[in-house]
Amino acid sequence: MALLEVNNIHAYYGNIQALRGISLTVEKGEIVSLIGANGAGKTTILRCISRLVGLREGSITLDGEDLSKSKAHELVYKGIAMVPEGRGVFAKLTVEENLEMGAFSRDDQDGIDNDLDRVFSLFERLKERRNQVAGTLSGGEQQMLATGRALMARPSLMLMDEPSMGLAPILVEGIFDTIKEINAEGTTILLVEQNATMALQVANRGYVLQTGEIVLDDTAENLQKNEMVQKAYLGID
């Protein structure tokens, strides 16, 4: 049984259908990337999983548990954490307060302290700025903070939505190195990313979306060799 199973989901924004029969799986320990053009439905899939968008049809299960009746705020207790598009940090709180907010569902203070140290070892820049107000951080630092905040929930599954968006090219490689490190330490990741080249380099498998449907799925290695993917998403003629 896969950690995450999405089965034939259909979703709408008003009368506009955004997802048309999406099915996918994420196994424990994997990085799975969703790639596709803007408007293809990638973020909507994450929003359905995180219960921010309702389903008209289909089901979503985490480790065999049906999530259809769960509320969004309950998912962190079930092991899902989200790194949203646009970072979504608490701008008026300090870096450390943001990270502590990520652990709101926990009461194991020793474990929280250990995970705080873990985040600061992953992101040394955050340690240097632990008392700085989050709204004054650079875009790259806010992305680090959003990722670190999600880690503080100690999730079994992390949903990441466009982690490289708006970052200077020099910072992008570092973010993906961190994604690989987080995964190597045991966190399963479902990644939405416009930078298809980087997304497939770090992933085990991938799904290609077009207008709300999955048109291709394979290992990341095979997708990088696929002629359609190369022309449409990797900039290879």
Side-chain angles (χ1 to χ4, degrees), residues 9 17-22 39-41 209-214:
I9 63 172
Q17 187 167 8
L19 300 179
R20 305 170 185 274
I22 295 289
L209 277 80
Q210 291 180 358
T211 58
E213 297 180 283
I214 291 173

Side-chain angles (χ1 to χ4, degrees), residues 45-223:
I45 291 174
L46 297 191
R47 290 175 64 84
C48 286
I49 295 168
S50 55
R51 307 303 299 136
L52 298 173
V53 171
L55 304 179
R56 291 278 185 94
E57 297 179 45
S59 64
I60 299 171
T61 61
L62 181 73
D63 220 6
E65 180 181 356
D66 183 6
L67 300 181
S68 63
K69 295 183 180 178
S70 299
K71 294 181 172 59
H73 71 272
E74 295 172 338
L75 295 186
V76 68
Y77 296 95
K78 300 179 185 296
I80 296 178
M82 177 82 160
V83 183
E85 180 181 354
R87 291 117 201 179
V89 301
F90 299 106
K92 295 184 179 181
L93 300 183
T94 66
V95 165
E96 188 162 349
E97 288 168 340
N98 267 269
L99 295 174
E100 290 170 347
M101 287 293 290
F104 79 91
S105 62
R106 301 170 57 185
D107 58 10
D108 57 321
Q109 191 58 52
D110 287 344
I112 291 170
D113 291 341
N114 288 336
D115 286 345
L116 189 62
D117 289 339
R118 175 193 177 205
V119 170
F120 284 147
S121 69
L122 276 172
F123 303 109
E124 291 186 2
R125 196 171 303 181
L126 294 183
K127 186 174 183 179
E128 297 168 3
R129 290 160 170 71
R130 65 190 302 164
N131 296 315
Q132 185 170 329
V133 174
T136 64
L137 299 176
S138 70
E141 290 163 348
Q142 289 189 16
Q143 185 61 55
M144 296 174 195
L145 182 55
T147 303
R149 184 182 60 194
L151 282 174
M152 289 299 295
R154 199 174 282 183
S156 56
L157 175 66
M158 183 181 289
L159 309 176
M160 302 191 76
D161 194 1
E162 304 284 7
S164 76
M165 178 179 286
L167 298 187
I170 195 171
L171 298 176
V172 171
E173 188 169 342
I175 286 291
F176 282 97
D177 285 343
T178 302
I179 289 171
K180 289 191 291 185
E181 186 172 351
I182 291 168
N183 176 250
E185 292 179 353
T187 303
T188 303
I189 296 173
L190 179 59
L191 171 66
V192 163
E193 178 54 54
Q194 277 292 112
N195 188 332
T197 300
M198 296 298 294
L200 293 177
Q201 284 179 4
V202 301
N204 302 100
R205 296 187 297 112
Y207 294 85
V208 180
L209 277 80
Q210 291 180 358
T211 58
E213 297 180 283
I214 291 173
V215 296
L216 189 62
D217 68 275
D218 209 331
T219 65
E221 182 179 4
N222 285 343
L223 288 175

